[in-house]
Amino acid sequence: MNVPGPRVRIFDTSLRDGEQSPGFTMSSAQKITFAHALADLGVDVIEAGFPNSSPADFRAVQTIAREVRATTIAALARCHPGDIEACARALDGAASPRIHAFISTSPLHRRFKLNMSREQVIEHAHRGVTLARTHVDDVEFSAEDAFRTEREFLVEVFNVAVAAGATTLNVPDTVGYATPDEIRALFQYLRANVKDADGVVFSAHCHNDLGLAVANSLAAIEGGARQVECTINGIGERAGNAALEELVMALKVRGGWFGVETGIDTPKLLETSRLLSRITGNQVQRNKAIVGLNAFAHESGIHQHGMLKNRDTYEIMHPRDVGWPDSQLVLGRHSGRAAVVNRLRALGFVLDDAKLDQLIADAKALTHTQHVVSDADLLRLVTGNPDDAGWRIDSMSLIDEGQHTRAHVALSNPDNHTVKRDAQGDGPIAALFAALAKATGVDFELESYEVHSMGTGRDARGEANLSARIGGESFSGQGTSRDVLEASAIAWLDVANRLLRSHAMQRIPAFA
Ligand SMILES: [Zn+2]
């Protein structure tokens, strides 16, 4: 048994394992868009779907196979002739097709899911891989629930699959039960005991039920796996799969430890993550590693001070390496003087101590009414632009019109005049935002929109957070109210007011 080479293949299953989980359904057009993004990112294999599961899935795999030429396109099949034939048809004409055939091997699955003996499982695996090889040269075989399968039986099944022509052997921890030490040992055992182990690629497919999917995938690589199955944002069945962006950055940042490499173009990680969020409507949590809004934000004063002297103090990778423009120094309640001075310098201002003290006091006062102080806010404070009140909400109402909802809003404009408008939308939020856009004359596409409830019973409040990206700058707004719709309207106006202020700023000549 030789030590496997340093190249780890990234097998992305966002479009199969990810897409099949509740809340992550994608249309065929969205799948095709995302497959192109995965190819640009540099993944080695895209698992495009399960062709025999539905005609729509079949067509999506077929289109991806025809359009995405630089990446291996895999399609999933049970070890049934019907599934395998459907894969072969869907992949017909692909530049680099792979059939991924699987069967459950664990005692629990054999008994309760398949009602098959060990011998029957082996027979099915043999027939499935043999048939797949009549269609394509690249066949991956998966032993579903491999981690809970008797080790010697797993070797037996894999030997049969290799003899039938499988070129990749996938070892899933289907239920997310393993620990890193166990996974590492299992891969070492399989590489030592499966015949011709050096001639095939071992693959890990880890689920995140205990939050260990990435750690287990890394341990599998240490044990000799050279393919990892993962998804953008870690989407997938139940708690999801290993998150591609975390796995890839762990291998990169700790390259000296792992001694392996991937083909991923890491500065595209963020945009790929954002694209998936937009397509599926599921934002990642703010504190998500690599791609969360806070992943490179430093709010506490002590951290900011260190960061400004030498970014290595609190950063192990450069934000640009994963696609962020730069670390954001969010000027919140805990920000220190050094952060403010630095931000101002970046904006072209150097203030004397007295002016700086005043500015810091003003900036802190602002954090009582808004979460973060943006560059636009700082500019407004430093150039002494009178604090206009911006647009405020006086009243709002929503009427259900059957197919549609109509929203009426009454707003006070910055000159304290009342503006009333109404608009129709598919639902209350769409109608409300449309009415606000009409009334203010400001319109933007939302980048994210989240509503949380805080507290319980009579004290319950809704908090809405939304962000929009306009002209390369990100504007976020926040609103709190007893009513989530009102909270959403306040948050929307917060963004609109920030946008208007920033535009107003750009017209002030003194500031150039
Ligand atoms: Zn899975």
Side-chain angles (χ1 to χ4, degrees):
M1 184 181 63
N2 299 316
V3 176
R7 181 66 158 74
V8 172
R9 297 180 195 179
I10 299 297
F11 176 116
D12 182 281
T13 185
S14 303
L15 294 171
R16 203 277 301 164
D17 209 321
E19 200 271 342
Q20 76 190 30
S21 55
F24 289 91
T25 314
M26 301 176 216
S27 71
S28 292
Q30 290 172 329
K31 285 185 193 174
I32 292 155
T33 302
F34 196 65
H36 282 289
L38 289 171
D40 284 348
L41 180 65
V43 308
D44 299 279
V45 185
I46 295 171
E47 185 160 58
F50 187 172
N52 214 25
S53 66
S54 73
D57 222 25
F58 181 94
R59 283 194 301 277
V61 174
Q62 193 172 45
T63 311
I64 291 167
R66 285 175 187 167
E67 287 187 11
V68 181
R69 312 296 296 173
T71 308
T72 295
I73 306 299
L76 186 70
R78 290 166 296 183
C79 285
H80 294 173
D83 278 16
I84 291 163
E85 302 289 355
C87 285
R89 284 199 308 280
L91 292 172
D92 189 30
S96 173
R98 170 182 294 189
I99 295 180
H100 178 192
F102 75 97
I103 190 165
S104 285
T105 52
S106 69
L108 264 169
H109 282 221
R110 291 195 310 261
R111 180 156 169 223
F112 295 104
K113 181 176 154 183
L114 300 174
N115 193 22
M116 280 188 197
S117 66
R118 285 186 176 204
E119 292 67 31
Q120 286 172 306
V121 168
I122 285 190
E123 178 58 26
H124 272 75
H126 172 74
R127 273 197 260 146
V129 174
T130 305
L131 178 61
R133 273 304 300 256
T134 65
H135 296 290
V136 296
D137 293 334
D138 183 352
V139 173
E140 172 170 336
F141 172 75
S142 273
E144 193 184 357
D145 206 16
F147 181 73
R148 295 191 298 176
T149 301
E150 306 91 332
R151 279 186 169 193
E152 64 298 349
F153 179 58
L154 197 52
V155 168
E156 212 182 320
V157 180
F158 280 152
N159 282 340
V160 166
V162 173
T167 46
T168 300
L169 297 177
N170 186 36
V171 186
D173 178 20
T174 303
V175 292
Y177 183 68
T179 65
D181 284 350
E182 291 172 302
I183 285 270
R184 188 184 304 105
L186 176 59
F187 275 86
Q188 284 164 345
Y189 174 85
L190 291 171
R191 291 212 355 102
N193 289 282
V194 171
K195 278 184 210 147
D196 283 331
D198 288 336
V200 294
V201 173
F202 282 84
S203 167
H205 178 109
C206 298
H207 275 274
N208 205 34
D209 298 71
L210 295 173
L212 292 172
V214 170
N216 284 340
S217 303
L218 293 170
I221 290 167
E222 290 176 335
R226 284 298 176 268
Q227 175 178 287
V228 280
E229 303 197 355
C230 46
T231 57
I232 297 293
N233 297 345
I235 69 172
E237 284 279 0
R238 305 182 310 281
N241 289 70
L244 183 151
E245 60 279 5
E246 296 177 13
L247 200 51
V248 164
M249 288 314 291
L251 293 175
K252 182 169 175 166
V253 172
R254 300 305 312 276
W257 173 261
F258 291 105
V260 296
E261 62 203 26
T262 72
I264 297 297
D265 187 6
T266 64
K268 292 187 174 149
L269 286 170
L270 182 67
E271 65 189 55
T272 315
S273 161
R274 290 273 168 98
L275 176 64
L276 185 67
S277 294
R278 273 205 302 282
I279 286 175
T280 64
N282 290 282
Q283 301 298 321
V284 299
Q285 81 219 39
R286 288 186 85 95
N287 62 323
K288 166 85 171 61
I290 316 296
V291 294
L293 273 176
N294 284 6
F296 292 92
H298 303 270
E299 197 185 342
S300 105
I302 296 169
H303 286 207
Q304 286 186 350
H305 193 65
M307 277 284 296
L308 296 172
K309 288 198 163 163
N310 179 346
R311 60 187 324 135
D312 291 344
T313 48
Y314 287 101
E315 252 174 31
I316 57 167
M317 54 194 147
H318 198 287
R320 274 196 294 268
D321 291 346
V322 301
W324 289 95
D326 208 339
S327 295
Q328 312 164 5
L329 287 173
V330 177
L331 298 177
R333 257 166 251 168
H334 311 293
S335 296
R337 192 181 182 90
V340 177
V341 171
N342 184 265
R343 228 34 245 164
L344 286 172
R345 196 176 295 135
L347 297 168
F349 295 95
V350 178
L351 302 186
D352 63 38
D353 278 343
K355 282 199 179 125
L356 186 63
D357 287 341
Q358 183 57 48
L359 183 89
I360 289 170
D362 293 346
K364 295 230 161 175
L366 214 48
T367 64
H368 295 302
T369 52
Q370 64 188 54
H371 249 41
V372 296
V373 179
S374 66
D375 287 359
D377 294 325
L378 272 184
L379 283 171
R380 189 164 46 82
L381 293 174
V382 80
T383 56
N385 191 32
D387 189 357
D388 70 67
W391 289 85
R392 292 182 316 278
I393 191 147
D394 294 333
S395 68
M396 54 180 264
S397 63
L398 291 150
I399 299 156
D400 187 353
E401 295 181 339
Q403 296 280 57
H404 298 283
T405 306
R406 183 168 294 278
H408 294 264
V409 298
L411 307 181
S412 292
N413 76 5
D415 303 323
N416 276 324
H417 294 120
T418 302
V419 178
K420 292 181 181 176
R421 290 287 184 281
D422 68 287
Q424 202 187 44
D426 286 342
I429 289 291
L432 184 57
F433 290 172
L436 292 170
K438 251 189 185 176
T440 57
V442 175
D443 204 1
F444 46 82
E445 292 253 330
L446 288 182
E447 186 179 36
S448 71
Y449 169 53
E450 288 168 33
V451 179
H452 307 275
S453 67
M454 305 184 296
T456 51
R458 210 185 294 171
D459 297 328
R461 285 184 174 274
E463 182 191 270
N465 289 285
L466 49 84
S467 66
R469 203 164 180 81
I470 300 135
E473 212 188 327
S474 202
F475 295 84
S476 31
Q478 202 233 348
T480 311
S481 166
R482 285 187 189 284
D483 172 39
V484 289
L485 288 170
E486 189 175 275
S488 301
I490 295 169
W492 194 99
L493 285 174
D494 190 13
V495 170
N497 286 331
R498 284 167 191 269
L499 184 62
L500 290 168
R501 279 183 213 131
S502 93
H503 282 196
M505 291 313 302
Q506 281 158 23
R507 290 198 297 269
I508 298 174
F511 150 137

